[in-house]
Amino acid sequence: DEGGDPNDRYWYEDGVAISLLSSAAYAGNTVLVRELLARGADPSVADDESNWTALHAAAAQINPAIVASVADAGGAVNLCMVRRVEYDSDGEPSNPDEEKPRTPLMCAAEQSICAEAFTILLSRGADVAATNEDDQTAEDFARKALTRRDVNAPRMNEFDFLDRRLAGEGERILALLIAVRTAGSWKRYS
């Protein structure tokens, strides 16, 4: 439609804003993501609440087509979101247990369901050695995902998740991350 700004934000009732591109990525709407990008949506815009970009959202939602579209449009594959710290009246952090910053590769590793998304991120330059503030890498997130039983995989019921896990997808992802780390880079691995 005419006149709309592809970089507009959707404002929630609590005053938090999320970019239209991130919203489409969270929803898994590949057509809308591609349309917003074609109209000039900026893939580097971070959301107010999570500080995630559309690429973080796509990686967490495990949608390879959206991961590729956003990365190819300039989404920063190694951007580690900034943690927003809020302080109480005594000057102490009021949100110490808040989610730690992570890269899109770490977001995908936390779910460890789709090796294709990893291949896309790695082929676009994602750094397997990147760490968050707790010195965790994507490999650490993938190892943890393999031992987790209570996964809330987006858009999947428990049986779909178990089918994928039984098919060895999580193990393939971990093996891929280890192989790329051992090789030193995606270029050397591939």
Side-chain angles (χ1 to χ4, degrees), residues 58-67 104-105 107-122 142 145 153-154 156 160-161 164-165 168-174 176-177:
Q61 294 298 328
I62 314 153
N63 187 318
I66 295 176
V67 169
L105 191 64
C107 291
E110 187 171 34
Q111 297 298 333
S112 283
I113 293 175
C114 180
E116 185 180 355
F118 284 84
T119 302
I120 292 165
L121 288 167
L122 291 166
M156 294 183 147
D160 290 336
F161 175 78
R164 282 259 174 101
R165 184 67 81 208
E169 199 73 352
E171 291 81 359
R172 280 192 291 277
I173 290 165
L174 183 58
L176 174 64
L177 291 170

Side-chain angles (χ1 to χ4, degrees), residues 61-142:
Q61 294 298 328
I62 314 153
N63 187 318
I66 295 176
V67 169
S69 294
V70 176
D72 291 345
V77 295
N78 290 310
L79 180 67
C80 196
M81 61 192 190
V82 177
R83 182 174 177 204
R84 179 175 297 148
V85 179
E86 297 175 10
Y87 297 92
D88 61 21
S89 59
D90 297 326
E92 296 295 321
S94 61
N95 55 346
D97 297 326
E98 185 176 285
E99 186 175 289
K100 304 287 194 258
R102 55 187 64 141
T103 65
L105 191 64
M106 292 174 195
C107 291
E110 187 171 34
Q111 297 298 333
S112 283
I113 293 175
C114 180
E116 185 180 355
F118 284 84
T119 302
I120 292 165
L121 288 167
L122 291 166
S123 70
R124 284 8 179 236
D127 182 3
V128 295
T131 60
N132 67 6
E133 65 186 40
D134 289 336
D135 287 329
Q136 296 172 308
T137 64
E139 188 178 321
D140 295 322
F141 282 95

Side-chain angles (χ1 to χ4, degrees), residues 33-47:
V33 165
R34 289 179 177 156
E35 180 65 25
L36 287 166
L37 290 169
R39 290 176 183 243
D42 183 353
S44 64
V45 171
D47 299 328

